[in-house]
Amino acid sequence: MPLEDGDTVRPRGRQVNGEVSSIPRLRGMGDPSLQSTAAPGSSRTDTMAHGWEPGPAPGDGDVTPGGAPQREWKPEEALMTELSELVQEVVKSSSWWERHGVDISILACSFLLLPAGFLCLRSAQAIPFLVGVLTLGVVHHTLTVKGSHLASHNALTESKSWGKVWAIFFIELCSAFTVEQATYNHVKIHHGYTNIIGLGDSSTWKLPFLNRYVYMFIAPLAVPVLTPLVALDLLRNVEWKAALRTLCCMFLGFYCHYWLLLHVSGFQSPWSALLCMLLTRSLLAHPYIHVNIFQ
């Protein structure tokens, strides 16, 4: 990000061995090379309205004789402070409907479409069945992408307590990520170092060892399988209570989807239900990945 005086803002982050990890990640989850960084507590979910100011990294600034570190103001911190102030001005001048109402309405419509989607899958005819697949696919990506993004910013409600509840629901139950890691990597890293390769760069889908056609058109179908695997790897860097909570929410989310396909949609075999889960969860993976790469 060029400054007015021609200097360039340099990220105050680090990479493992100076390279970007090739582990696939979902949008906003940050680079796996940064997962060893301690995530904030679960009660510190940041909001878009309050913004944030990155603190000094270890070793930054001078230390006074009394032992208190003297903050050294850096250009990127000034830019983030200015951006935070601009965001706060927009939020304060917005109505409740603009801040929360529109997004809540979209999520509510998605929940209302769920019964219709599962019931359409009961049909033996092709058109109703495909309508059911399309409905569940759109609903799944709305809840996991939009819901998780809003929850990571605590943008669904003014209450911090309810914000935590919604974060657990959308990020852990629906998206299979731990709240602490998801919020830290998205809000602190992605937004703090947007488009800086290896830190907050927008493209979080990285499988460089694949052929370009496989990478763009076939590999995205594996997103529903890769998601829980990446999430399990992230659990190594959180407290055991948070890891246990995430595991329970992940299992509950997958099992509820599986149970509804068997008992509401009428699938006769576990494999057919699992195949339908894969189909609906990867239905919009291609446009999501392509936008994620080229944004």
Side-chain angles (χ1 to χ4, degrees):
M1 182 182 299
L3 302 178
E4 292 181 359
D5 58 1
D7 294 337
T8 301
V9 174
R10 291 184 294 275
R12 195 178 53 250
R14 60 183 179 86
Q15 296 174 259
V16 176
N17 298 326
E19 297 179 355
V20 180
S21 173
S22 61
I23 299 176
R25 297 163 286 134
L26 298 188
R27 180 180 181 180
M29 296 303 107
D31 197 293
S33 63
L34 296 171
Q35 298 307 326
S36 60
T37 307
S42 59
S43 62
R44 295 182 60 190
T45 305
D46 294 337
T47 62
M48 293 182 67
H50 295 86
W52 68 278
E53 297 182 14
D60 285 353
D62 299 328
V63 179
T64 61
Q70 182 178 1
R71 184 184 182 91
E72 179 183 350
W73 194 253
K74 293 187 175 294
E76 62 265 28
E77 295 181 6
L79 292 172
M80 286 305 301
T81 301
E82 181 182 358
L83 176 61
S84 178
E85 293 174 353
L86 293 174
V87 170
Q88 291 180 44
E89 291 178 3
V90 174
V91 171
K92 290 179 181 178
S93 63
S94 303
S95 65
W96 179 90
W97 176 254
E98 292 173 324
R99 295 195 308 270
H100 305 295
V102 175
D103 295 320
I104 291 176
S105 299
I106 294 174
L107 295 174
C109 290
S110 297
F111 282 114
L112 293 175
L113 285 174
L114 278 175
F118 283 107
L119 290 175
C120 284
L121 294 178
R122 295 182 62 92
S123 176
Q125 299 180 358
I127 294 181
F129 183 84
L130 293 177
V131 170
V133 171
L134 178 62
T135 301
L136 291 183
V138 172
V139 168
H140 172 75
H141 282 80
T142 301
L143 297 181
T144 55
V145 178
K146 187 176 185 63
S148 295
H149 182 251
L150 292 170
S152 69
H153 286 283
N154 197 25
L156 288 170
T157 175
E158 302 290 344
S159 169
K160 295 240 179 211
S161 300
W162 276 107
K164 175 66 175 179
V165 172
W166 286 121
I168 292 175
F169 176 80
F170 285 111
I171 298 176
E172 297 191 352
L173 193 92
C174 298
S175 304
F177 273 88
T178 180
V179 169
E180 289 78 8
Q181 286 285 352
T183 302
Y184 177 77
N185 283 285
H186 179 71
V187 177
K188 299 294 188 181
I189 303 299
H190 172 70
H191 282 293
Y193 302 99
T194 304
N195 291 331
I196 297 178
I197 302 301
L199 288 174
D201 51 298
S202 296
S203 179
T204 55
W205 171 252
K206 300 180 185 299
L207 292 170
F209 53 86
L210 294 178
N211 174 276
R212 68 184 67 180
Y213 302 106
V214 175
Y215 178 88
M216 295 291 288
F217 301 107
I218 299 178
L221 297 175
V223 167
V225 178
L226 295 175
T227 299
L229 296 179
V230 175
L232 290 174
D233 180 68
L234 296 179
L235 294 182
R236 298 179 303 172
N237 305 305
V238 298
E239 295 182 356
W240 69 270
K241 292 181 180 179
L244 181 61
R245 181 197 67 212
T246 302
L247 287 174
C248 293
C249 290
M250 288 173 59
F251 174 79
L252 182 62
F254 282 111
Y255 182 77
C256 287
H257 193 178
Y258 174 78
W259 188 90
L260 289 171
L261 290 174
L262 288 180
H263 296 85
V264 176
S265 300
F267 283 82
Q268 300 299 318
S269 69
W271 289 110
S272 62
L274 292 174
L275 182 61
C276 185
M277 287 179 62
L278 177 64
L279 179 61
T280 55
R281 288 171 178 256
S282 63
L283 186 66
L284 298 181
H286 287 86
Y288 165 74
I289 293 300
H290 289 188
V291 170
N292 179 255
I293 292 172
F294 293 113
Q295 68 177 342

